[in-house]
Each structure stands twice: as structure tokens, then as C-alpha cells.
Amino acid sequence: MADEAKAKGNAAFSAGRFEEAARHFTDAIALAPGNHVLYSNRSAALASLHRYSDALADAEKTVELKPDWAKGYSRLGAAHLGLGDASSAVAAYEKGLALDPSNEGLKAGLEDAKKAAAAPPRRGPSGPDAIGKMFQGPELWTKIASDPATRPFLEQPDFMQMLREVQRNPSNLNMYLSDPRMMQVLSLMLNIKLQGPEGSDSEPSQSTPPPPQQQQTRPPETKAREPKPEPEPEPMDLIDEEKERKERKAAAQKEKEAGNAAYKKKDFETAIQHYTNALELDDEDISYLTNRAAVYIEMGKYDECIKDCDKAVERGRELRADFKMIARALTRKGTALAKLAKCSKDYDVAIETYQKALTEHRNPDTLKKLNEVERAKKELEQQEYYDPKIADEEREKGNELFKEQKYPDAIKHYTEALRRNPKDPRVYSNRAACYTKLGAMPEGLKDAEKCLELDPNFTKGYTRKGAIQFFMKEYDKAMETYQAGLKLDPNNQELLDGVRRCIEQINKANRGEISQDELQERQNKAMQDPEIQNILTDPIMRQVLVDFQENPRAAQEHLKNPGVMQKIQKLVSAGIVQMK
């Protein structure tokens, strides 16, 4: 990432490895070509290498990208000054000060530029100036850092200030030759052992600055020639950059809040504009993208929503954003995809997107949306498959196979008929008959009940249901089903025969003409019936049953109550109570 490359460049610059720093900044620029700070930093590194033409190009790019940033003009002035164009340097520094009048670095640069502009043309270096020129080469920092005796000097601010003064003006070398540290470095650069000021060999420089007494014994005229110390610049713009970053984030948050307020007011166009502004200010918060995506959903702009969600997921992965934010983006994308679905297959990509969101964060709202989309897909599949004509053809094929007693094959055709037309009660009735023949009573009962649900006036459905209940030895329930059918068709012979068979079985049980095992089986089934359970747990009915055993006269009085009589009949039909 650009931030990582920039951090490496900053570290290399701080260590004096300017070539390496420039390479890292170049890598960062390739990843973030619109970041003005990166060009500024590379300009500083190139200027430190005395590649002023390249430094000028980067400084001009910095100003182009961020014309209201004072630091860019500082870079521009330094590059012009390095190229010997003092007048352009003065103009650059003045522009920077117009933006930031209190900037000490710009003030110092302007002063140097004005001095250079006023100075007469200089001849080539000779004498001390020629020696001072060697302090301007890039190998200076490498040699100082590689020598154990001089390496600690790089951590001493006053020594670093002296080196910068010599680099800026080689003639200043004479001012600092009384400092043993400078003599140590000069000896290192010349690869010789120089004599001290008084003719004796100089001792290796200490890792600490000279004591105050030594600094005070310098000749007065030397002191007078020393330039006023300039505030050390911040070559990597770390403070300025961090400050600007915080300001951008704060401004982006305000735009987001304004967007949220507009969204609540249904002012979607305004909300979009605020979220877009927030993104331009801060691209490290994907909530601006997901919020804008939500607005696009409300506006029916589903394609734009999907694009924003894809960007949010991609950017979120780069930033290692919270998995909940990634899940939110995927959920909103799934919603947009579902809105765009025109056929059942279109729902597949929406379902897949919701499932991805759930792998990031199992949010109840996302799970609910997934279930809704899956139901919508199933309903649409049924609608797409719906064809009453083919359904009738399949039903006729099932009827033929039923007559041939090929019940499993008949069930297949009835099932296909129901897929083509799930609202035909006749097919449910016919398939229930097949299940009855195969002894699959629960499946048959379910089909018979569905048949009556679709058409409560379809008498054949009552015949099917009553027959299945009879075979399940639920004679009381079968009796109720047959009687319900007779209300619609009192002369229906199948229903009348069903009632007769149920009465025979109930009376047979009452007379004790069934085996104990069969009676026990019927009672066990009855005890699983919620209605029977409610009757037996009713305090009034419990007292009635006690009276039947202990007080027959009171029991006769209870039978005068139609409700009690109906419940007693229910217990008798179920085999729970036997009348003797």
C-alpha cells in the first residue's frame, strides 16, 4: 500500500539514505498518484541528492495538486535556489508565506533566497570552499553513518545544524573547524589524519557536544559571523500531513451527518451529494459508500448501488475494515440484486451474495432477507412452471396408471401435475387414493386435507379423508369427516356407507367384540389426540366419569347437557369409555 511505501521512505530519509527514500516515494506515488505529500517528500529527497531539476519537477507537481498548501512552495523555492534561480525562489517563498505567514521555514528560505539574489556572481570554489564542497555529496551521510567514531554525531542536533549550514554554504566550514567533531568528519572525508588547531594530533571526537566553556572561548569575530540558527524543517511533512488528515476526516464526518439527515427527510439527491463529498475528503471510511448505496436502493438505482457495494468490499479488504462493514455492503448488494431479479434464476446471485454476507457476520436482518429471497425464488419458479394444460395431461396419465394398479407411477404423474398447477383439488384427492392403496396413510391424509383446504365443497375429498381415518382406526374422526361431507351431499352413497362402517366399529368396541390388544391400540391412539386429552383433563368431565361409575343417577342428569353428551360420545367412539 502507498502508506507502507511512504513510511519506508520517511525512515530512509531520516537515516540519510536519500536514494532509498526517493525509491520508496516513487513506489508510493505509483500507488497513489494524486497524493501531493508524496511528491513533496520525494522533492526533498532529490534536493538532498542535489538533483535539483528532478526536485523542481516534483515541487511543481505538488503545487499543481495542492495549490493552497504552503509547504509545496517551500519545496519549490528550495529547488529553484539549488538551481541558482534566486528570483524564482523568492517568488515561491513569498507565495507560500501568503498562505501561511507564520511559517518559519518559509521565512528562513525567503531570507536565504534574497541574500542569494543580492550576492554578486561567484567564481568557482577554491581553498576552503573547495573542501567544503565535498560536504555536499551524497556520500557524506554514508561515510558518517558507517564510521563508529562519527555515527553518534547524527543524533546530535547542534552537529546536524552545523552540517546543514556547511551544505548550504561551503564557506561556513571555517566557522566550525574549531569543533573537534567537524575536524573528525573532515579527516574522515579527506581520508587523512589532520592536526588540531595547536599543531598536536586531534583526539577522536566524543559522542557528546563540547562543553559550554569550550563554545564560549571561540573568538568574538567568529561568533559574530555565525548565522542565526534556523528552525529545523520537517522534511517529511509528518506534522502537516497528520494535521491535514485529521481535518479531512472531521470534514468528512460532517458531510456524512448531513447526508444522514437528508436521507431521513427523503431528500435523496442531497444525501447522495453529501456522501460523495465525504468520500472525496476521506477514502478510508467505507461507511460513506455503504450509506450512498442505501440511498441508491431507495431511489431505485440498483446498478449504482451494486457498484458502490463492490467498491466498499474491495476498499474494505485493503483497509482491513471491520467484518461487519463488509457484511453490510454485501447485504445491500444482495438487496439490489434481488430487486433486479426478473426470473427465478436471477435470484441465485442475490442468494449467493447474502450467504457471503453471513459468512462475514451472521446478522439476523441479513438472514431474514435471505429467507425472503429464497421464498420469492421458489414462488417464481412455481409461477414459471405453471401450465394448467400440461397439468391436466399429467393427471389423465396418473388416472390411467391408477386403473392399472401402478400406484407409484401414478403418484409421479400426479406430483408433476401439481407442480404444473398446485391449485387443483382433484389431483390431491387422486394422489391421496394412491397413497391409501400403498398404505402410506399419513401422506394420504395430508393430501386429502389439502384437497379440502383448496375446495371445501369437494365431496370426494371427504370420502378420501374419511377412508384414510377409518383405515387408521380413528373411527370417531372418520365419522365426523363423513358427516361433514353429508351436509354437502346428503345422498352420497360413499359417505353413507362410511358412516355405517364407523358405527359398526364403534358399537363392536362397546359390546366388547374386539380383542384386548385392538382395544389397547385404539385407546393409545386416542390418548395422543389433543381433543381427547383436553376432555380427560377437564375437571367437570372427570367428575362426570366418576359419577358414571359411582352414581348412575347423577350420571343420567349429566347426559341431559348436550355439551357433556357430545364429549362422552367422543370418548366412547375413541374406545376410552365403554357403555355396557
Side-chain angles (χ1 to χ4, degrees), residues 548-560:
F548 265 98
Q549 291 180 341
E550 300 176 357
N551 191 348
R553 183 172 297 179
Q556 292 298 322
E557 290 295 325
H558 289 309
L559 292 176
K560 294 178 182 180

Side-chain angles (χ1 to χ4, degrees), residues 470-486:
F470 184 87
F471 286 127
M472 295 174 74
K473 298 182 181 181
E474 295 177 351
Y475 303 121
D476 55 326
K477 292 184 179 180
M479 174 80 79
E480 291 176 3
T481 300
Y482 287 134
Q483 288 174 341
L486 287 170

Side-chain angles (χ1 to χ4, degrees), residues 243-366:
K243 179 181 177 182
E244 184 181 1
R245 180 172 174 270
K246 289 181 179 179
E247 289 174 351
R248 288 200 310 270
K249 282 189 173 293
Q253 281 298 317
K254 288 182 179 179
E255 290 287 348
K256 177 182 176 181
E257 291 168 6
N260 294 346
Y263 178 81
K264 291 177 182 177
K265 295 177 182 178
K266 306 280 185 190
D267 186 359
F268 299 134
E269 290 292 348
T270 302
I272 289 290
Q273 187 57 52
H274 283 301
Y275 292 137
T276 302
N277 293 343
L279 279 168
E280 292 173 353
L281 289 165
D282 179 15
D283 67 345
E284 295 182 352
D285 188 339
I286 65 172
S287 68
Y288 309 140
L289 282 166
T290 57
N291 284 14
R292 191 169 69 177
V295 181
Y296 280 136
I297 289 176
E298 294 294 334
M299 297 173 72
K301 297 183 177 181
Y302 305 122
D303 290 329
E304 285 83 352
C305 170
I306 292 170
K307 289 178 184 177
D308 269 3
C309 291
D310 286 339
K311 288 178 185 175
V313 172
E314 181 182 358
R315 186 62 175 145
R317 302 283 190 212
E318 293 174 359
L319 297 170
R320 297 181 181 176
D322 188 347
F323 56 84
K324 292 181 181 178
M325 294 297 297
I326 303 292
R328 182 181 300 172
L330 289 169
T331 297
R332 287 181 180 165
K333 179 182 178 181
T335 300
L337 289 168
K339 295 285 187 181
L340 289 171
K342 291 183 173 60
C343 65
S344 59
K345 289 186 177 180
D346 289 344
Y347 281 110
D348 290 340
V349 64
I351 290 171
E352 181 183 358
T353 303
Y354 280 133
Q355 289 171 340
K356 287 181 179 178
L358 289 170
T359 60
E360 296 288 339
H361 175 55
R362 195 162 184 81
N363 183 283
D365 181 60
T366 303

Side-chain angles (χ1 to χ4, degrees), residues 6 8 16-17 77 83-84 87 97 117 184 211 224 254 296 335 349 380 398 401 407 422 431 482 535:
K6 183 181 72 173
K8 291 178 181 178
R17 302 191 302 274
L83 290 170
S87 59
L97 284 169
Q184 181 87 9
K254 288 182 179 179
Y296 280 136
T335 300
V349 64
L380 194 54
L401 291 167
Y407 305 122
R431 193 170 69 173
Y482 287 134
I535 293 173

Side-chain angles (χ1 to χ4, degrees), residues 10 55 113 142 197 480 543:
N10 292 346
T142 304
E480 291 176 3
Q543 184 59 47

Side-chain angles (χ1 to χ4, degrees), residues 39 42-44 46-47 51-60 75 79:
Y39 288 98
R42 189 170 69 176
S43 178
L46 293 171
R51 291 165 54 182
Y52 295 114
S53 296
D54 294 333
L56 178 62
D58 275 356
E60 289 173 341
R75 299 292 184 228

Side-chain angles (χ1 to χ4, degrees), residues 87-112:
S87 59
S88 295
V90 169
Y93 285 125
E94 287 178 342
K95 286 182 180 179
L97 284 169
L99 295 170
D100 186 3
S102 62
N103 190 300
E104 294 298 329
L106 286 167
K107 289 179 182 179
L110 178 59
E111 184 180 348
D112 289 341

Side-chain angles (χ1 to χ4, degrees), residues 6 10 35-37 40-41 62 66 68-75 100 102-106 232-248:
K6 183 181 72 173
N10 292 346
N35 190 328
H36 62 282
V37 174
S40 171
N41 289 2
T62 303
K66 191 71 172 173
D68 58 346
W69 192 46
K71 179 68 73 172
Y73 295 97
S74 176
R75 299 292 184 228
D100 186 3
S102 62
N103 190 300
E104 294 298 329
L106 286 167
E232 186 174 350
E234 299 157 10
M236 292 297 96
D237 307 312
L238 296 178
I239 295 176
D240 291 331
E241 182 184 353
E242 184 62 25
K243 179 181 177 182
E244 184 181 1
R245 180 172 174 270
K246 289 181 179 179
E247 289 174 351
R248 288 200 310 270

